[in-house]
Amino acid sequence: MDVYILGIESSCDDTSASVTKNNIVLSNVIANQEIHKKYGGVVPELASRAHQQNIIPVVDSALRLAKIKKKQLSAIAFTRGPGLLGSLLVGTSFAKSFALGLEIPLLEIDHLQAHILAHFIQEENKSHSVPNFPFLCLTVSGGHTQIVLVKDYFDMEVIGRTIDDAAGEAFDKAAKIMGLPYPGGPHIDRLAKHGNPLAFHFPRPRIPDPDFSFSGLKTSFLYFLRDRLKENDQFIENNKHDLSASIQFTIVDILLSKLLAASKKTGVIEIAIAGGVSANSLLRETILKQKEERGWNVFIPELQYSTDNAAMITIAGYFKYQSGQFADQKVSPYSRSGN
Ligand code: KG4
Ligand code: ZN
């Protein structure tokens, strides 16, 4: 029998709902919260309020686009964590009451596992190849940077992690220093297309493989610009393309070197990338090149499944549904991994 799942994602500043039929996505609706732009970052209190306003219309349009009636749903999946607690509470409470009202099971999903499981999303009339277990996944988002050895759908071992900032934070903080809007990653990506990646050199962190550190890079970028601005107050404006290309090149170079170390250490050449930063065009290009250069089997998610979305929650829910891993009504969200 076909399994229809409604998934809800509300861990940060995007309210998203999706419906799947087995492993096929029928709809994936995302409402971005514009309100945070003027504050230069996500304001947690405003995020949860916006989730409350968005959640019903977003779920409603996900069901309509999928042409599925509430009564046809087999289960409700929701992001339990990690993320902003107030935001997670909106999605969690909504999912719980919806499941209770419809008398169907509830599936609790870890946001980071879902980013990885996004690789198993299929679309109607458009099948694509999926990674084989075990594979390595570089999960790079605004809050996390990890290299995960994925042995099965829910058997994942984190073998490398950041000791301070996440890769997305490195992009966003560099962008903020340059006066670009939040989130800065996509702006740096766009400006870098017309810049020289070798125009400026920034030091790489000295930290044992395959762990990451990005806070030193942010500081050296800040001090470098502070010194240059003393000589020329138009330095950023005159060099924004080269600055973007150089900082992007440095971040991607660090990510690739750690991924290479992890592949060497584990002997795994089945390689995937996931999370918001996996939307970065240089990272995608660089990982794809390793196909020829190192014989890696490379998996890159479609752009709409790289950044936060509910389709990844729904697909993770489908695999949990199949193995009977249901949550009960007492389930509560967690803000950090490992809780
Ligand atoms: O996974 P995600 O949507 O949300 C979290 O779970 O954090 O990731 C958001 C992060 C932000 O830091 C954003 O700047 C970054 O992903 N990002 C990018 C690009 N698109 C999104 N970073 C670099 N290049 C991009 N094209
Ligand atoms: Zn995310």
Side-chain angles (χ1 to χ4, degrees):
M1 208 174 74
D2 288 327
V3 176
Y4 292 98
I5 297 182
L6 168 75
I8 292 160
E9 155 64 29
S10 71
S11 66
C12 192
D13 58 342
D14 296 315
T15 319
S16 181
S18 154
V19 176
T20 46
K21 174 184 177 180
N22 305 320
N23 61 347
I24 296 169
V25 173
L26 301 180
S27 64
N28 182 37
V29 178
I30 304 171
N32 303 116
Q33 300 180 1
E34 294 297 317
I35 180 103
H36 307 286
K37 283 213 168 101
K38 66 177 175 192
Y39 298 99
V42 177
V43 183
E45 189 51 40
L46 296 180
S48 44
R49 216 177 294 167
H51 281 304
Q52 281 177 328
Q53 285 163 354
N54 291 342
I55 196 150
I56 291 176
V58 165
V59 166
D60 189 51
S61 65
L63 286 166
R64 266 189 294 116
L65 281 172
K67 299 190 180 68
I68 293 297
K69 303 241 175 310
K70 281 183 287 189
K71 280 190 185 140
Q72 287 175 268
L73 291 172
S74 318
I76 311 285
F78 68 97
T79 308
R80 186 177 170 199
L84 300 170
L85 215 49
S87 293
L88 289 163
L89 268 168
V90 177
T92 306
S93 328
F94 186 90
K96 279 195 204 179
S97 37
F98 212 40
L100 196 66
L102 293 171
E103 296 181 4
I104 55 176
L106 195 57
L107 302 153
E108 52 101 358
I109 305 298
D110 181 273
H111 181 86
L112 293 171
Q113 290 194 342
H115 266 303
I116 297 173
L117 295 174
H119 284 283
F120 295 92
I121 292 171
Q122 297 288 357
E123 291 174 339
E124 253 173 341
N125 311 320
K126 195 170 134 196
S127 102
H128 73 94
S129 59
V130 300
N132 291 305
F133 300 118
F135 65 93
L136 283 175
C137 188
L138 172 70
T139 310
V140 270
S141 70
H144 299 87
T145 296
Q146 297 180 335
I147 296 180
V148 184
L149 179 61
V150 187
K151 301 169 197 168
D152 207 336
Y153 296 115
F154 298 104
D155 184 3
M156 302 186 186
E157 186 189 341
V158 179
I159 62 168
R161 55 176 62 74
T162 180
I163 60 159
D164 41 54
D165 290 351
E169 267 177 296
F171 272 107
D172 295 342
K173 286 179 178 174
K176 196 169 184 174
I177 295 169
M178 288 172 61
L180 297 170
Y182 177 86
H187 294 283
I188 292 207
D189 194 348
R190 180 177 45 81
L191 291 168
K193 289 196 167 66
H194 310 285
N196 172 8
L198 303 176
F200 305 108
H201 179 81
F202 300 107
R204 311 297 193 258
R206 287 206 200 99
I207 170 153
D209 288 336
D211 282 337
F212 302 86
S213 165
F214 287 104
S215 71
L217 179 62
K218 173 198 67 193
T219 312
S220 67
F221 190 66
L222 181 71
Y223 288 169
F224 170 79
L225 284 182
R226 190 193 57 184
D227 293 347
R228 294 299 173 102
L229 284 168
K230 275 185 202 154
E231 297 154 12
N232 170 8
D233 63 2
Q234 291 302 303
F235 185 78
I236 295 180
E237 188 48 35
N238 294 346
N239 295 280
K240 61 186 178 199
H241 296 108
D242 285 350
L243 284 167
S244 298
S246 300
I247 195 78
Q248 173 175 275
F249 177 77
T250 311
I251 296 170
V252 170
D253 194 39
I254 295 169
L255 294 174
L256 180 69
S257 76
K258 298 296 180 173
L259 199 45
L260 281 173
S263 170
K264 229 183 213 169
K265 187 175 167 187
T266 55
V268 174
I269 55 162
E270 195 89 352
I271 310 284
I273 56 173
V277 179
S278 71
N280 182 264
S281 50
L282 181 67
L283 178 62
R284 294 166 91 89
E285 206 178 282
T286 306
I287 298 290
L288 264 178
K289 263 196 210 144
Q290 309 310 313
K291 230 177 179 172
E292 293 102 60
E293 287 183 15
R294 297 175 205 280
W296 282 3
N297 243 342
V298 170
F299 299 88
I300 296 177
E302 259 187 48
L303 282 177
Q304 62 162 328
Y305 306 131
S306 297
T307 45
D308 286 350
N309 67 89
M312 67 185 196
I313 303 303
T314 321
I315 194 79
Y318 172 66
F319 295 123
K320 277 211 165 170
Y321 184 93
Q322 284 201 312
S323 55
Q325 299 177 60
F326 302 114
D328 69 32
Q329 282 284 334
K330 291 199 197 94
V331 66
S332 56
Y334 53 82
S335 57
R336 290 174 173 277
S337 294
N339 295 8

